[in-house]
Amino acid sequence: MNLDIRNLSMHYGEERALDGMNLRIENLNSVSVIGPSGGGKSTFLRLVAGLEKPSGGQVIVNGIPIDYEEKQLREYRNRIGLVFQSHNLFPHWTAIQNITIPMIKVFNFSKAEAYDKAFELLIKFGLKEHADKLPVQLSGGQQQRISIARAMARQPEILLLDEPTSALDPQLTKEVLDMLIALKEEGTNILMATHEMNFAKKAADHVVFIDEGRVSFEGSSNEFFNADKESRLGEFLAHVFE
Amino acid sequence: MKRIFKLDTPGEKPGLLGKTTNIVLVGLFIAAIFLVALLSLGYKFDWTVIWTYRINILRGYGMTLVLAVISIFISVIIGLVSAAALQSKILFFRYLARAYVEGIRGTPFLVQIIFFYFIIATAIGLNSKFIVGVLILSIFTGAYITEIIRGGIQSIPETQWVTAKSLGFSSFQTYSYIVFPQVFRRILPALAGQMSSLVKDSSLLSVIAVAEFTKSIRQVEALTYRSFEVLTFLMLGYLLITIPISLLSKWLERKYYYES
């Protein structure tokens, strides 16, 4: 994926969630966005996902600037897969309905096509036996994996994940991360905000550290994990590994 | 003995024997009050009037049922539209819906009926009392249902709206596929309660001579002067509709309670 962020700002009243952020990513497959809570990670992802209109600046995804007019945004969002921390699935639909209904209603798939495709995904990720369960009958990890399958059903240019494992215990975290690693290896473009340093280490090509509304470090995974202990980044790392 | 009449704690479930005994006792107690009151008046009952006028009464009863069923449908539709309007980005719609809800909930139903019938219906040349009755009952109940639905909509967590948006659903699709189906499940008990109110409120339509249950009973009363008999029958007639609804509402409440 190519991502070009130019002077991106997002202000909520007095608060500057993003404050002139710049970032250029070219030909990268998996990028982890990390940083302290409230530093601007989620805002950044929401803007890349086309959920909100920035106060200023530009987001260019694979060469095309996002047009933040509602009508264009709706089309743009269809190019993106998005997974949040929790409650991604609609509780009144079964797992498979959560995947198929958006395909039918938004992408105009026929019912049969949608179900075929959804089953294919569920089988691939070992979720077939959960197809007809309601979200409340699934574990948090299964819910997140179904959400990721739903996001993949639209063959997104980028799969965006906003701390997809923060609400899970370690064992469930692992099953979600394993699925993401498998997707990465297949060539899916992943942009993920996370606190999972192990994932960043193992499966991210590139790490972006966002703090106080700007990118304060950006580089390969290797560079990142050998950061200077004295810098704010180093402090953050020491803190998360403590 | 103690087990039949008194529980150890308020949360304890009464046994079958205790339950039936006490329900029968309550029934007897209420009947006794009426009986004593009527006997002290030296009143002689004549229940045959009800049989004599059974056709009129049944017609009125049927009319009440038809009014209630049609009105509940229309009022739910009104409630949906105005609840959506309350969340609208277009401020005119939002304030219009607010004015409707506050206006209806803040004024007596009787005044609304008279106002609507003599002023609005006359002005637009609406002659059918039945249609006027249905409309006014729907508009009245719709305001209460709006508030019930609004509460239901607000109970849908923010993530679901954002997720729907990110999946490409339009706001109309979000409401019809995601929000309303869930809201309905949650508000069904409250809606059933509102339906019971609607049945009782429909009796006020008798003031504009809609031929519903209360009106038909009042006619029999005027012809026979048998007030006690017909009014007793009137009360029982309403209870026959409202008690099942109330039981339904309680059952739905329990069902939802276990699901959530």
Side-chain angles (χ1 to χ4, degrees):
Chain A
M1 70 181 134
N2 296 323
L3 206 55
D4 190 358
I5 311 294
R6 292 183 189 166
N7 203 20
L8 190 64
S9 297
M10 187 70 194
H11 303 161
Y12 300 101
E14 285 294 291
E15 194 206 324
R16 290 161 181 265
L18 281 184
D19 197 11
M21 170 181 173
N22 286 294
L23 176 69
R24 206 182 170 101
I25 286 168
E26 265 168 8
N27 274 325
L28 287 169
N29 183 217
S30 166
V31 177
S32 282
V33 180
I34 64 167
S37 303
K41 296 189 304 279
S42 285
T43 309
F44 167 60
L45 282 189
R46 288 169 74 93
L47 291 176
V48 177
L51 290 173
E52 280 176 84
K53 189 179 153 84
S55 316
Q58 237 185 350
V59 178
I60 303 165
V61 178
N62 293 334
I64 308 168
I66 302 180
D67 181 347
Y68 284 96
E69 288 301 316
E70 189 51 36
K71 193 162 164 274
Q72 276 75 20
L73 271 188
R74 269 192 76 190
E75 277 168 33
Y76 169 72
R77 288 185 202 121
N78 292 341
R79 294 164 46 198
I80 299 294
L82 183 60
V83 177
F84 294 104
Q85 185 174 334
S86 58
H87 302 295
N88 285 288
L89 299 178
F90 299 112
H92 61 309
W93 290 342
T94 59
I96 192 135
Q97 284 175 321
N98 263 283
I99 301 175
T100 54
I101 294 177
M103 293 168 82
I104 297 166
K105 301 296 180 189
V106 179
F107 286 89
N108 299 317
F109 274 77
S110 76
K111 219 175 160 179
E113 283 174 314
Y115 272 85
D116 282 349
K117 188 136 193 247
F119 264 117
E120 213 177 277
L121 283 163
L122 290 179
I123 291 167
K124 180 173 155 190
F125 297 118
L127 292 160
K128 189 171 155 254
E129 74 262 36
H130 305 304
D132 296 316
K133 289 186 189 163
L134 288 169
V136 70
Q137 298 167 295
L138 298 168
S139 76
Q142 288 159 348
Q143 290 185 25
Q144 289 303 73
R145 281 154 67 207
I146 304 258
S147 308
I148 295 169
R150 176 175 69 189
M152 290 309 296
R154 48 185 47 215
Q155 296 173 314
E157 289 177 30
I158 304 176
L159 177 61
L160 289 172
L161 304 115
D162 190 1
E163 303 193 19
T165 59
S166 312
L168 303 177
D169 59 41
Q171 200 186 346
L172 301 179
T173 297
K174 187 177 178 303
E175 69 181 53
V176 173
L177 293 182
D178 286 347
M179 177 176 180
L180 289 172
I181 290 170
L183 283 170
K184 186 228 157 182
E185 275 159 11
E186 274 173 22
T188 306
N189 291 312
I190 295 175
L191 179 65
M192 169 159 88
T194 184
H195 288 125
E196 284 302 322
M197 292 307 142
N198 280 329
F199 179 85
K201 220 172 193 170
K202 245 200 295 191
D205 309 325
H206 206 75
V207 175
V208 176
F209 184 83
I210 296 182
D211 187 17
E212 294 173 343
R214 287 160 194 250
V215 176
S216 61
F217 170 90
E218 182 231 322
S220 73
S221 223
N222 261 339
E223 288 174 71
F224 177 76
F225 286 101
N226 297 318
D228 179 6
K229 301 261 180 307
E230 299 301 304
S231 64
R232 189 158 154 91
L233 172 62
E235 273 173 36
F236 173 78
L237 280 177
H239 196 71
V240 289
F241 280 120
E242 163 178 289
Chain B
M1 276 308 263
K2 195 187 149 231
R3 291 206 159 257
I4 296 176
F5 294 105
K6 191 166 171 266
L7 302 172
D8 289 332
T9 61
E12 194 187 331
K13 281 215 159 201
L16 188 63
L17 183 63
K19 207 171 170 179
T20 15
T21 318
N22 285 287
I23 289 173
V24 169
L25 278 176
V26 168
L28 288 175
F29 176 68
I30 294 170
I33 292 176
F34 277 89
L35 232 81
V36 169
L38 291 172
L39 285 176
S40 67
L41 288 172
Y43 191 79
K44 277 214 180 82
F45 285 102
D46 178 11
W47 294 98
T48 56
V49 291
I50 287 165
W51 181 249
T52 314
Y53 292 96
R54 63 189 182 277
I55 303 292
N56 298 39
I57 293 173
L58 271 179
R59 270 202 197 124
Y61 199 61
M63 176 62 94
T64 287
L65 284 174
V66 172
L67 269 172
V69 170
I70 299 179
S71 303
I72 195 79
F73 273 108
I74 301 180
S75 56
V76 167
I77 293 168
I78 294 178
L80 284 175
V81 173
S82 81
L86 279 177
Q87 322 272 324
S88 173
K89 285 184 218 158
I90 300 162
L91 289 178
F92 181 81
F93 290 152
R94 189 184 289 195
Y95 295 134
L96 184 66
R98 196 38 49 224
Y100 159 63
V101 170
E102 298 305 333
I104 296 289
R105 299 200 328 156
T107 54
F109 187 39
L110 184 61
V111 178
Q112 292 166 24
I113 294 174
I114 294 168
F115 186 84
F116 190 88
Y117 181 64
F118 288 106
I119 301 178
I120 299 176
T122 313
I124 60 174
L126 194 57
N127 293 320
S128 159
K129 284 183 175 151
F130 175 73
I131 294 177
V132 171
V134 166
L135 280 180
I136 199 160
L137 206 50
S138 306
I139 292 171
F140 176 72
T141 308
Y144 289 85
I145 292 184
T146 303
E147 284 291 280
I148 295 174
I149 295 176
R150 188 185 58 87
I153 291 176
Q154 282 175 350
S155 73
I156 302 290
E158 176 67 20
T159 340
Q160 284 196 37
W161 297 90
V162 185
T163 303
K165 198 170 165 186
S166 79
L167 286 170
F169 285 109
S170 68
S171 61
F172 180 74
Q173 287 176 322
T174 305
Y175 274 105
S176 37
Y177 303 133
I178 295 157
V179 178
F180 284 148
Q182 294 184 69
V183 166
F184 261 106
R185 261 172 252 195
R186 291 186 195 185
I187 65 173
L188 267 177
L191 227 44
Q194 197 57 51
M195 193 165 164
S196 166
S197 300
L198 183 146
V199 170
K200 291 179 290 167
D201 295 334
S202 71
S203 71
L204 275 171
L205 292 176
S206 59
V207 299
I208 56 165
V210 176
E212 46 69 70
F213 190 37
T214 304
K215 177 75 187 166
S216 65
I217 287 280
R218 299 295 301 258
Q219 274 169 342
V220 176
E221 189 193 357
L223 289 169
T224 61
Y225 302 107
R226 284 286 163 193
S227 305
F228 291 120
E229 291 86 342
V230 293
L231 289 179
T232 308
F233 192 75
L234 182 66
M235 284 197 287
L236 293 176
Y238 280 110
L239 283 173
L240 198 64
I241 308 176
T242 53
I243 288 178
I245 296 176
S246 158
L247 292 176
L248 174 76
S249 164
K250 288 224 172 64
W251 179 75
L252 289 168
E253 229 166 79
R254 251 199 326 267
K255 195 175 149 179
Y256 176 64
Y257 177 77
Y258 288 129
E259 267 183 12
S260 63

